Amino acid sequence: MGTSIYDIEHKRSLNEPEAFWKEQAEKLNWFKSPTKILTETGEHTYRWFEDGVMNTSFMALDYHLINGRGDQLALVYDSPVTGVKQKYTYRQLHKKVAKFAGALKDLGIEKGDTVVIYMPMIPETAIAMLACARLGAIHSVVFGGFAPHELAIRIDDAEPKAIITASCGIEITRVIPYLEMVEQAISESSHKPQHTVVFERPQHKVESLSTNQYDFTTLLEKSEPVDPVPLKSNDPLYILYTSGTTGKPKGIIRDNGGHAVALRFSMENVYGAKPGDVYWAASDVGWVVGHSYIIYAPLIHGCTTVLFEGKPIKTPDAGVFWRIIEEYKVNTLFTAPTAFRAILKEDYEAELLKKYDTSSLRALFLAGERCDSATYHWAHNTLNVPVIDHWWQTETGWPIVANPIGIESFDPKPGSATKPVPGYDVQILNHAGESVPASEEGFITVKLPLPPGCLQGIWKNEARFQAGYLQQFPGYYASGDGGLIDKDGYVFVMGRVDDIINVAGHRLSTGEMEEVVSSHAFVVESAVIGVFDQLKGESPLGIVVLKEELEDTTQVEAELIQMVRDQIGAVASFKKVVVVKRLPKTRSGKVLRKTMKHIINGDDFQMPSTIDDPRILDEIRETFEEKLLVKEG
Ligand code: COA
Ligand code: AMP
């Protein structure tokens, strides 16, 4: 059997990383091209393109004007929840970004300052992000589904000079008052940002602006455009908070240069996208998918990106994805499997698809959670295009494992995200840090150095970065996922090995929910676990022991649900609580969360040998059955 192009590329990326990534870096327009490609900066820490000078906003906008792409569409905005559609050419988007950067500069924002962005899926969010990038200000976008308390935690950690928000977000028909939530967060946080900039939307007027509050549109109109500030490749572009195993989220730091190089590489080689293509990531800018594949990658690569403010169903129906594909001639669609589960549940026969011409679509990419085979097959049979499951994380910012159709297409194996992307040396290790044989499950790790674009660290917390990712297996990045590589080199990601769950493709910490639940005056102890959910893949379930036995636990349950909603946010989807008499534990007192999860999901499992009192499991099972929580066969 001959060696495949993929094998050659992948091997070369690992054996000659500097030559490989230098070539990739040369495909972008730097102010000063890097000569130092890879530098070891400490024990197991590395930096890419150290002496390169560039600006991400320049690469995403100005460069295309110089290159004759000014009149091509850069961004189309489609908002079924407001009925608004807007189109921006590269020239128009560039003008807005340069002017809004001028507005931020007038507010005193400069290179190295941090700016929190708490906004819905509107073009102004993209403008705000790119304007920060233009100045070298580090943005930190917070997903709108998080409650003010969560926003306050991020404000205290990122210490922003300014917050940019909108008067509201819209969830199907519900108006979410973003500005009020920002105000509440600022009143709760210790750090007080100097300025708040608000984009007023007609669905929720701003009554009056207080001192330190500015109207987005007025600022933008009256400001002078500014040029992109030359930045070092390693200057941070953004901080993005993601769930860890404790209550405190981790601020993942992304650089400018490595990020741009990696994203461009991925557009060509993983997604098989060409400049001029229409690329649609149906996600949210609050998540890493939104950062990488709604904003930065498509623009850096000269594509048209689609910014969709809606849901796969109910806005207005399960045909909206097909309408968008037809209307903007989308070539690549990227979303989470849960979006397709929502569509197939509403329209299994795909009747609505018959109304639209989706022939422009070349491939569907799925990520964010494990793709179940029913969804995979439905999507494939319905759309009749390659369906590509690929695996990545907020930490990496771009795919680790994929079917790299821009290099070579492999026959898919459902349940596998296919092969390690060039740059990633994926290895499966056991507890002792030894490689395991093919097809044996273990910890999924990546041998260091990670390729360009991956996290530089955790904001203001080097110790957590080291402890969370680098110390478990010295010389390797511990991904937090478990899985295997089969004899053909296909990687199967089986799920998290920690307390993180994926709910509708949203990454959440059960530990954080437990902290909230345990703070209720009636709760003695609790466990929150992710259980099977037909639509969302997983959903959290709170299992609590109360201080005293109550005949009716409905009120406490409702209070716990409300507490999580108020403190973490609606996105937690924390809707089920069950009261039990005792929690099953090991003899050393560790709660057996996995065992409870197996009982509820109806999985076969072995009684843990370390269990303290096996009789508790029968008790728990009875309670779960009584509450109809156990999944049938
Ligand atoms: N601002 C405010 N609230 C938000 C929000 C936002 N940006 N995003 C979600 N929420 C709210 C929702 O309204 C919902 O509130 P509810 O409990 O009062 O109904 C709650 O947070 C949970 O949201 P979600 O888990 O998204 O559930 P949903 O029922 O609203 O929608 C899907 C389910 C499957 C349709 C939706 O999750 C989806 O389209 N997911 C796929 C795409 C995706 O975004 N993937 C993420 C990363 S790729
Ligand atoms: P996030 O950081 O929000 O992108 O979530 C990353 C996590 O989502 C990973 O660590 C995985 O647990 C999960 N995940 C993402 N993509 C996949 C995939 N294709 N298959 C299985 N799990 C995935």
Side-chain angles (χ1 to χ4, degrees):
M1 209 165 59
T3 312
S4 73
I5 309 171
Y6 160 82
D7 283 335
I8 295 168
E9 283 284 289
H10 187 249
K11 276 207 184 82
R12 191 169 162 252
S13 74
L14 304 187
N15 296 339
E16 302 167 38
E18 299 204 61
F20 184 90
W21 288 110
K22 183 170 192 288
E23 254 170 44
Q24 294 306 323
E26 280 163 2
K27 297 184 179 176
L28 286 170
N29 207 285
W30 298 71
F31 297 149
K32 177 184 173 295
S33 294
T35 58
K36 291 184 188 164
I37 304 304
L38 178 64
T39 318
E40 197 164 349
T41 52
E43 211 185 339
H44 306 312
T45 55
Y46 299 85
R47 292 287 180 262
W48 287 98
F49 313 121
E50 205 184 8
D51 61 347
V53 180
M54 45 80 72
N55 182 291
T56 300
S57 173
F58 174 88
M59 287 180 174
L61 298 167
D62 306 54
Y63 170 70
H64 298 305
L65 301 196
I66 301 164
N67 228 17
R69 237 174 244 290
D71 297 322
Q72 182 199 303
L73 286 180
L75 185 148
V76 294
Y77 165 58
D78 192 299
S79 170
V81 294
T82 58
V84 177
K85 294 177 188 178
Q86 289 168 352
K87 292 183 177 177
Y88 296 79
T89 62
Y90 270 97
R91 198 179 313 287
Q92 289 163 333
L93 188 62
H94 171 267
K95 190 172 172 197
K96 294 236 180 214
V97 169
K99 279 174 70 99
F100 192 64
L104 294 178
K105 189 173 176 217
D106 293 343
L107 290 177
I109 289 160
E110 49 190 38
K111 182 180 153 187
D113 287 338
T114 50
V115 175
V116 161
I117 298 176
Y118 186 70
M119 294 181 85
M121 287 288 289
I122 53 177
E124 287 69 23
T125 312
I127 291 167
M129 291 165 75
L130 289 158
C132 287
R134 199 166 187 85
L135 295 176
I138 306 161
H139 63 67
S140 184
V141 181
V142 178
F143 178 63
F146 284 118
H149 176 69
E150 283 292 315
L151 180 57
I153 293 174
R154 287 155 174 79
I155 291 172
D156 277 333
D157 198 69
E159 300 180 300
K161 201 178 232 181
I163 296 200
I164 307 171
T165 188
S167 59
C168 68
I170 294 145
E171 278 295 295
I172 307 184
T173 52
R174 203 155 40 98
V175 172
I176 316 278
Y178 276 39
L179 176 59
E180 285 82 338
M181 290 163 86
V182 165
E183 287 170 339
Q184 202 182 320
I186 296 176
S187 70
E188 197 183 309
S189 62
S190 310
H191 172 83
K192 307 291 175 196
Q194 290 173 25
H195 316 287
T196 301
V197 180
V198 193
F199 180 74
E200 183 178 58
R201 306 187 78 186
Q203 293 78 13
H204 188 54
K205 293 276 183 196
V206 178
E207 303 236 313
S208 65
L209 291 167
S210 51
T211 356
N212 306 338
Q213 291 187 335
Y214 304 87
D215 176 60
F216 188 112
T217 311
T218 316
L219 281 190
L220 193 145
E221 272 162 16
K222 69 170 199 215
S223 302
E224 290 300 320
V226 295
D227 285 335
V229 172
L231 301 172
K232 287 202 202 112
S233 176
N234 287 304
D235 286 335
L237 170 66
Y238 69 75
I239 308 164
L240 180 57
Y241 287 89
T242 188
S243 300
T245 45
T246 65
K248 195 169 183 281
K250 312 187 263 199
I252 301 299
I253 308 170
R254 188 89 57 219
D255 68 345
N256 270 278
H259 176 247
V261 172
L263 290 187
R264 200 218 62 83
F265 174 80
S266 71
M267 287 299 279
E268 182 181 336
N269 295 286
V270 175
Y271 299 99
K274 295 180 291 297
D277 276 3
V278 180
Y279 188 97
W280 178 25
S283 176
D284 189 288
V285 279
W287 305 112
V288 69
V289 177
H291 280 62
S292 295
Y293 294 106
I294 297 176
I295 310 293
Y296 290 112
L299 295 179
I300 288 171
H301 201 43
C303 296
T304 302
T305 187
V306 180
L307 191 94
F308 170 66
E309 190 182 26
K311 302 262 176 186
I313 50 171
K314 298 188 189 153
T315 60
D317 57 29
V320 66
F321 271 32
W322 323 140
R323 193 239 332 138
I324 299 268
I325 294 171
E326 177 186 276
E327 199 162 331
Y328 305 109
K329 301 202 167 29
V330 171
N331 303 119
T332 309
L333 170 61
F334 175 175
T335 191
T338 190
F340 268 73
R341 284 199 295 272
I343 296 171
L344 77 85
K345 199 162 159 252
E346 296 264 311
D347 183 21
Y348 190 79
E349 299 303 328
E351 288 299 329
L352 291 165
L353 183 64
K354 294 183 188 140
K355 284 168 57 183
Y356 302 99
D357 173 7
T358 58
S359 57
S360 60
L361 192 69
R362 293 198 298 256
L364 165 67
F365 284 83
L366 299 172
E369 55 174 331
R370 203 172 147 72
C371 182
D372 56 285
S373 63
T375 306
Y376 173 88
H377 288 297
W378 187 86
H380 186 260
N381 297 339
T382 305
L383 287 173
N384 211 12
V385 295
V387 176
I388 298 169
D389 176 13
H390 61 326
W391 172 63
W392 54 297
Q393 313 178 304
T394 305
E395 286 82 349
T396 63
W398 64 289
I400 311 164
V401 174
N403 198 343
I405 56 169
I407 303 175
E408 185 173 345
S409 286
F410 292 96
D411 288 338
K413 293 191 187 184
S416 168
T418 318
K419 305 248 181 172
V421 172
Y424 291 99
D425 187 354
V426 179
Q427 304 208 7
I428 311 292
L429 304 182
N430 64 17
H431 271 104
E434 300 149 347
S435 289
V436 304
S439 299
E440 204 168 283
E441 241 185 270
F443 298 93
I444 312 183
T445 68
V446 183
K447 193 163 187 291
L448 297 172
L450 290 166
C454 298
L455 78 170
Q456 282 192 324
I458 295 181
W459 186 248
K460 293 192 307 201
N461 205 337
E462 178 64 18
R464 195 171 179 197
F465 171 53
Q466 290 282 338
Y469 301 105
L470 305 180
Q471 281 165 359
Q472 189 180 3
F473 304 112
Y476 296 81
Y477 163 81
S479 71
D481 281 302
L484 59 91
I485 303 181
D486 75 5
K487 61 176 188 1
D488 302 321
Y490 281 62
V491 181
F492 290 74
V493 181
M494 309 308 284
R496 300 286 310 189
V497 291
D498 53 18
D499 295 333
I500 288 169
I501 55 172
N502 273 289
V503 180
H506 308 318
R507 173 168 161 180
L508 299 165
S509 158
T510 53
E512 189 173 13
M513 292 184 225
E514 274 177 24
E515 280 181 29
V516 176
V517 168
S518 300
S519 69
H520 190 288
F522 274 28
V523 173
V524 185
E525 54 180 355
S526 69
V528 175
I529 56 174
V531 294
F532 174 79
D533 182 292
Q534 217 180 8
L535 172 66
K536 298 189 178 189
E538 270 185 316
S539 65
L541 167 73
I543 304 168
V544 297
V545 180
L546 299 182
K547 279 190 181 143
E548 56 188 83
E549 231 174 86
L550 297 178
E551 207 159 286
D552 184 2
T553 53
T554 335
Q555 180 164 346
V556 178
E557 288 166 13
E559 282 170 14
L560 291 172
I561 289 167
Q562 194 58 42
M563 277 169 76
V564 174
R565 194 176 173 95
D566 290 346
Q567 290 187 45
I568 298 179
V571 67
S573 288
F574 184 78
K575 296 192 172 160
K576 273 190 224 143
V577 175
V578 55
V579 176
V580 296
K581 290 199 188 85
R582 302 181 285 170
L583 289 174
K585 290 184 186 166
T586 61
R587 284 187 282 277
S588 60
K590 218 171 151 268
V591 175
L592 289 163
R593 294 178 174 77
K594 259 207 186 120
T595 309
M596 292 194 282
K597 181 173 176 154
H598 288 318
I599 295 178
I600 292 194
N601 288 350
D603 305 333
D604 291 335
F605 70 97
Q606 271 192 335
M607 175 76 73
S609 57
T610 52
I611 192 163
D612 182 28
D613 179 358
R615 286 168 307 177
I616 304 183
L617 287 189
D618 293 330
E619 217 174 275
I620 295 262
R621 188 194 302 274
E622 266 170 38
T623 316
F624 288 165
E625 276 168 0
E626 206 179 290
K627 304 254 173 186
L628 297 176
L629 288 169
V630 180
K631 202 182 130 198
E632 282 171 32

